[in-house]
Amino acid sequence: MTIIVIGKSGQLAWELAQLSTPSQAIVCLGRDDVDLQNVSALVNILKQYDAEGVINASAYTAVDKAESDIENAYLLNTKAVGHIAQACKHLDVPFVHISTDFVFHGDKGLPYSPGDAINPLGVYGMSKAQGEQLIADIYPQRSAIIRTSWVYSTHGNNFVKTMLNLMATKPELGVISDQIGTPTYAKGLAKACIASITQQVIGVHHYTDTGVASWFDFAVAIQNIALELGLLDKKIAIKPITTAQYPTPAKRPHYSVLDKASFINALPELSLMHWQEQLTHMMTALKNEREA
């Protein structure tokens, strides 16, 4: 079985590549390998690899930059998604697309279910929401949309690695405490994507690790685990701040915890872990990489 991953440089694509086996090859294709704005090119490359499933791990994820780089955000998060859906439909192969908690406004105050009304706050969320709609319009028969949040990995740039760098160089940090969600280790998300292809899950679902956190909670946990593992040698003060104290070009949902019940029902064999447990796994792997 060959599964094609659209995306090569991102942290999810990297984690997916680590799951490749002789019996289940996972091939990651980057922008130099395929033109996402050309449906015929997509069809041809999927045929070339005799693809039996496609996972779209590519996205324009620079949330603040998207507010001014609108055209490029929509090219990758909307138009390209529609083209991938068309190619998959042409070849009748299952398609898994990764979306985001940013399609929600963040004012519900309870975990969002897949069927809840979407109401994005900015260009990133709107472009991702329109990508979802194209899949629903073009190829609902064999497509799964998996919304996730706060993704991190040992690979690439993410909140965990940024915090570790700042904690090693700054005397103190202020971290936002009034945005609530759930961190997600990309390694677990990658396994969920593969399971969705092999079990032919369809529809809109949510996947994150379990539990709830603010960015402040997340940062405190990162420091505590890093000190235990020896990734940091000193403790610094981490102070909670409000969103208003740290203005950004893009608005972010204040509460975007995702309800995972439908995904657990679709894949009961999938074991979910608390975000702090997954964070420990990731940071242990990071330590091992640095020591290797």
Side-chain angles (χ1 to χ4, degrees), residues 85-128:
Q86 289 176 42
C88 290
K89 181 178 182 179
H90 182 81
L91 297 172
D92 191 31
V93 296
F95 175 35
V96 169
H97 172 68
I98 304 303
S99 193
T100 174
D101 58 326
F102 272 66
V103 300
F104 295 114
H105 186 279
D107 60 352
K108 182 183 177 184
L110 293 169
Y112 281 96
S113 299
D116 283 340
I118 60 174
N119 184 16
L121 291 168
V123 171
Y124 169 67
M126 287 186 282
S127 63
K128 292 291 286 185

Side-chain angles (χ1 to χ4, degrees), residues 149-168:
S149 66
W150 300 22
V151 179
Y152 65 90
S153 164
T154 58
H155 176 82
N157 299 318
N158 53 65
F159 184 79
V160 177
K161 294 168 79 174
T162 297
M163 287 296 105
L164 287 172
N165 289 335
L166 291 173
M167 289 167 184

Side-chain angles (χ1 to χ4, degrees), residues 192-209:
C193 290
I194 298 297
S196 297
I197 288 286
T198 57
Q199 301 298 315
Q200 301 204 21
V201 174
I202 61 170
V204 181
H205 302 279
H206 294 162
Y207 177 91
T208 65
D209 294 325

Side-chain angles (χ1 to χ4, degrees), residues 121-143:
L121 291 168
V123 171
Y124 169 67
M126 287 186 282
S127 63
K128 292 291 286 185
Q130 290 190 25
E132 288 186 12
Q133 187 58 52
L134 285 178
I135 294 171
D137 292 342
I138 294 166
Y139 193 41
Q141 303 88 346
R142 302 193 73 188
S143 293

Side-chain angles (χ1 to χ4, degrees), residues 31-52:
R31 65 186 66 187
D32 295 333
D33 303 308
V34 62
D35 181 2
L36 298 183
Q37 305 305 326
N38 186 325
V39 177
S40 296
L42 278 161
V43 169
N44 289 337
I45 203 157
L46 296 182
K47 281 183 178 178
Q48 178 186 325
Y49 284 100
D50 196 19
E52 295 173 72

Side-chain angles (χ1 to χ4, degrees), residues 21-22 34 39 57 75 107 126 171 215 235 237 243 253 272 280 284:
T21 66
V34 62
V39 177
L75 273 174
D107 60 352
M126 287 186 282
W215 290 108
K235 185 173 185 176
T243 299
L272 301 183
T280 301
T284 301

